[in-house]
Amino acid sequence: MGEPERIGVVGLGGWGIALAVHLHRKGHTVSVWGHPTAGVDAVAKARASDRFLPGVQIPAGIAIGGTGSVLAGAGLLVLAVPTQHIRGVLLSLASDWPAGVPVVSVAKGIELETGLAPTGIVRAARGDAPLAVLSGPSHAEEVARGLPASLVTASSDAALAKRVQGAFMDERFRVYTSADVTGVELGGALKNVIAIAAGICDGLKLGDNAKAALLTRGLVEMTRYAAAAGADPRTLYGLAGLGDILTTSYSPHGRNLAVGRRIGAGERLDAVLRGMAQVAEGVWTAKAVRDAARSRSVDMPITDAVCAILFDGKAPAAAVRELMTRAARDEI
Amino acid sequence: MGEPERIGVVGLGGWGIALAVHLHRKGHTVSVWGHPTAGVDAVAKARASDRFLPGVQIPAGIAIGGTGSVLAGAGLLVLAVPTQHIRGVLLSLASDWPAGVPVVSVAKGIELETGLAPTGIVRAARGDAPLAVLSGPSHAEEVARGLPASLVTASSDAALAKRVQGAFMDERFRVYTSADVTGVELGGALKNVIAIAAGICDGLKLGDNAKAALLTRGLVEMTRYAAAAGADPRTLYGLAGLGDILTTSYSPHGRNLAVGRRIGAGERLDAVLRGMAQVAEGVWTAKAVRDAARSRSVDMPITDAVCAILFDGKAPAAAVRELMTRAARDEI
């Protein structure tokens, strides 16, 4: 399952740390670059991040640094920064970035200003890097603790997908390969919007039947959007779409779910975001997807409802009632 | 949304009662037949079933009886008895059964001895009845309380599907139509097996990532089986498949989930079943599906694992480990 290699992780958030711990456990030589706002010096000293992944010890063998030099010599780079910060991080690390080294993106979002997914941002900034994505149901807390998870890695370069699979996979961390980069990447981004909707449903106390129906219709909507962007619909019904929706919408760890729950219970978006230590990608993805869907004439009723609630002050109960009372029709 | 009519509900379990309450609330004239073992006389007197749907008042306008005469004059029959009992109930009611009246099956299982789904059993016993099914994520407790739900009704007779939609639908109970009887019926049956697997995963404390992956792969397996039986795969990814898996696998109301959790935590099947007031359809469906899948050469690794645990004494942890360590491969 893959020879030990030097792997650089870009990003010291919960997922970056969890993957670094996992890759180190597998025998790779791992280094992590962290932004000053992630408290890189304090984390390097404490060997733990109370803010992003409390209770997880970072082994002494993992190098942690705040300058690009910590990535020197890496044969594989794992990009684990929030989507809206990717462009800035790539710019600030430009001179230290190891040229031509494959990049595995694990970010799950859409850049607000451009509508680009993470690999699109990397391609624009670092046209030389071979690209892969790794996504699926994988809350950082559980992966760091060594609980089982199953993910998908996709690349247009089948050999790179195989290499990523070999580098990450062990008996507790199962990795499938795929050629559908667009599907895997959009699955991870779009599910955050649906998870916010699921949280709103929870906050309104609508029950398990309504939440299940919402998620089912949400997946239909995600698939419609991704297919219009060139994805294989089956990818969305796999681990990177459906699988990830489930963890995000039912696990107490879910940040986007938590945002939705507070909104559904009557709080306002600015108040909710002010108190959060970590980024809820879905808030910005919702806006980016709504705009892109409009320009492509793709029907996204749940995403539209989430945006109306988050950004236009629409009452959650009224928005849900409108979704529930659309005209009676055939399911497919 | 449909004129008031006389509707007979066959079955006084939780779902039968909840649907009777819902249909009465919509203005229909509703009567319910109950088997003596459902405590029909006590329920008729108390206007409530502590055993099957505690806390729900059955309105005085709903007739409840233990003989087939209570169904006389019905223009639509709702069949709401557990799958393994359908044949016996149809036999015992044969002389009172209103001939030629459309039957809406809401049972979710596979008959153990014949491998037939509920409509197949009805067709064998009552070849004269037009048939429809109604399924989807719909825990009885929530429907009785008037919380929102979305379901699918399917019939090979499009006019009957429309009629059932009209009879059941209101702003809190949304009904889509479909022509795919096989897909809707198998979705409801097969999800109970996957829910047992999800419960086992919970009982073993494997975490949210593993459960999401299991459900995703479970849906792939359900779809494979249903497609081999002639269903449209998209039906399984809709409310009657995916939607119903979600409610059944994450809601605390789920009986099949509860069975799985206790098995995963180390209890034996006979001890678990002995203490249950209500039927967990998935236990018998698992066995019926495994046998049918073998004879059709359909690969069902999760169903096979559930059967090995339930009936052959296999240790849950070992069965799950084997599922997690199947060879690395492409997702689709």
Side-chain angles (χ1 to χ4, degrees):
Chain A
M1 289 197 192
E3 294 302 303
E5 55 183 320
R6 282 188 80 89
I7 301 180
V9 176
V10 182
L12 195 57
W15 194 213
I17 295 171
L19 287 174
V21 168
H22 167 69
L23 292 166
H24 173 79
R25 201 189 275 143
K26 266 210 74 184
H28 298 297
T29 301
V30 180
S31 59
V32 187
W33 172 88
H35 195 269
T37 55
V40 57
D41 294 334
V43 173
K45 195 169 162 212
R47 310 303 304 177
S49 172
D50 283 348
R51 182 167 164 215
F52 291 129
L53 202 59
V56 172
Q57 189 68 23
I58 305 174
I62 297 176
I64 300 174
T67 63
S69 60
V70 76
L71 303 173
L76 201 62
L77 291 167
V78 178
L79 183 62
V81 296
T83 307
Q84 309 306 328
H85 299 153
I86 290 176
R87 197 174 290 270
V89 165
L90 290 174
L91 269 174
S92 73
L93 288 176
S95 57
D96 289 320
W97 195 271
V101 172
V103 174
V104 184
S105 167
V106 300
K108 296 176 178 176
I110 305 281
E111 193 177 46
L112 195 48
E113 285 168 31
T114 63
L116 289 173
T119 55
I121 307 170
V122 179
R123 186 170 298 108
R126 308 271 342 170
D128 58 335
L131 292 170
V133 295
L134 176 70
S135 192
S138 49
H139 270 300
E141 293 79 355
E142 294 188 355
V143 169
R145 285 166 53 210
L147 286 170
S150 299
L151 294 90
V152 192
T153 184
S155 177
S156 57
D157 173 354
L160 178 56
K162 279 271 173 206
R163 181 175 163 200
V164 173
Q165 180 182 49
F168 282 85
M169 184 156 169
D170 64 19
E171 69 167 10
R172 291 176 293 190
F173 195 98
R174 190 166 169 74
V175 182
Y176 292 83
T177 52
S178 165
D180 185 8
V181 176
T182 302
V184 170
E185 197 160 36
L186 283 179
L190 298 170
K191 61 92 190 178
N192 284 328
V193 181
I194 303 303
I196 291 176
I200 291 171
C201 193
D202 285 348
L204 288 167
K205 299 190 191 307
L206 294 179
D208 298 319
N209 296 338
K211 183 171 176 176
L214 175 83
L215 292 175
T216 303
R217 299 306 299 175
L219 186 57
V220 170
E221 174 170 322
M222 284 171 57
T223 304
R224 193 185 298 135
Y225 182 92
D232 181 339
R234 292 175 298 176
T235 303
L236 280 295
Y237 286 99
L239 293 165
L242 168 56
D244 208 355
I245 285 186
L246 298 187
T247 319
T248 311
S249 299
Y250 286 105
S251 165
H253 300 308
R255 292 194 292 278
N256 293 284
L257 181 72
V259 167
R261 284 179 172 172
R262 292 176 61 182
I263 297 286
E267 291 190 64
R268 291 190 55 89
L269 181 61
D270 50 358
V272 172
L273 294 183
R274 214 179 298 127
M276 292 188 77
Q278 297 188 63
V279 173
E281 292 260 23
V283 173
W284 313 119
T285 302
K287 194 175 252 179
V289 167
R290 176 186 60 180
D291 296 347
R294 278 183 186 167
S295 72
R296 294 176 200 173
S297 300
V298 179
D299 187 29
M300 305 283 280
I302 297 173
T303 301
D304 287 344
V306 167
C307 285
I309 293 167
L310 293 181
F311 307 120
D312 307 333
K314 181 151 196 163
V320 169
R321 194 161 48 240
E322 285 176 24
L323 280 178
M324 284 294 291
T325 52
R326 283 158 57 106
R329 60 182 195 79
D330 208 61
E331 188 182 22
I332 292 169
Chain B
M1 291 199 192
E3 294 304 303
E5 55 183 320
R6 282 188 81 89
I7 301 181
V9 176
V10 182
L12 195 57
W15 194 214
I17 295 171
L19 286 174
V21 169
H22 166 69
L23 291 166
H24 173 79
R25 200 189 277 143
K26 266 209 75 181
H28 299 296
T29 302
V30 179
S31 58
V32 187
W33 172 87
H35 195 268
T37 55
V40 58
D41 295 333
V43 173
K45 195 169 164 212
R47 309 304 303 175
S49 172
D50 283 347
R51 181 167 165 215
F52 290 129
L53 202 60
V56 172
Q57 189 69 22
I58 305 174
I62 297 177
I64 300 175
T67 63
S69 60
V70 76
L71 304 173
L76 200 61
L77 291 167
V78 178
L79 182 62
V81 296
T83 307
Q84 309 307 327
H85 299 154
I86 290 176
R87 196 174 290 268
V89 166
L90 291 174
L91 268 173
S92 73
L93 288 176
S95 57
D96 290 319
W97 195 272
V101 172
V103 174
V104 184
S105 166
V106 299
K108 296 176 178 175
I110 305 281
E111 194 177 44
L112 195 47
E113 285 168 32
T114 64
L116 289 172
T119 55
I121 306 169
V122 180
R123 186 169 299 110
R126 306 269 346 167
D128 58 334
L131 292 171
V133 295
L134 176 69
S135 191
S138 49
H139 271 300
E141 293 80 354
E142 295 187 357
V143 169
R145 285 166 54 209
L147 287 170
S150 299
L151 293 89
V152 191
T153 184
S155 177
S156 57
D157 172 355
L160 178 57
K162 279 270 173 211
R163 180 172 164 204
V164 173
Q165 180 182 48
F168 282 85
M169 185 155 169
D170 65 18
E171 70 166 10
R172 290 176 294 190
F173 194 99
R174 189 165 170 74
V175 182
Y176 292 84
T177 52
S178 164
D180 185 8
V181 177
T182 303
V184 170
E185 197 160 36
L186 284 180
L190 297 170
K191 61 92 190 177
N192 285 328
V193 181
I194 303 304
I196 292 176
I200 292 171
C201 194
D202 285 349
L204 288 167
K205 299 191 190 309
L206 294 179
D208 298 318
N209 295 339
K211 183 171 177 176
L214 175 83
L215 293 175
T216 303
R217 298 306 299 175
L219 186 57
V220 170
E221 175 171 323
M222 285 170 57
T223 304
R224 194 185 298 136
Y225 182 92
D232 181 338
R234 292 175 298 176
T235 303
L236 279 295
Y237 286 100
L239 293 164
L242 168 57
D244 208 355
I245 285 186
L246 298 187
T247 321
T248 311
S249 301
Y250 285 105
S251 165
H253 301 308
R255 292 194 293 279
N256 294 284
L257 181 73
V259 167
R261 284 180 171 171
R262 292 176 61 182
I263 298 286
E267 290 190 65
R268 291 189 56 91
L269 182 60
D270 50 359
V272 172
L273 294 184
R274 213 179 299 128
M276 291 189 77
Q278 298 189 61
V279 172
E281 292 259 23
V283 173
W284 313 119
T285 301
K287 194 175 253 179
V289 166
R290 177 187 59 181
D291 296 348
R294 279 182 186 167
S295 72
R296 294 176 200 173
S297 301
V298 179
D299 187 29
M300 305 283 279
I302 297 172
T303 301
D304 286 344
V306 167
C307 286
I309 294 167
L310 293 181
F311 307 120
D312 306 333
K314 182 152 196 163
V320 169
R321 196 162 46 240
E322 285 178 30
L323 280 177
M324 284 293 291
T325 52
R326 284 158 56 105
R329 61 184 195 79
D330 208 61
E331 187 181 23
I332 294 170

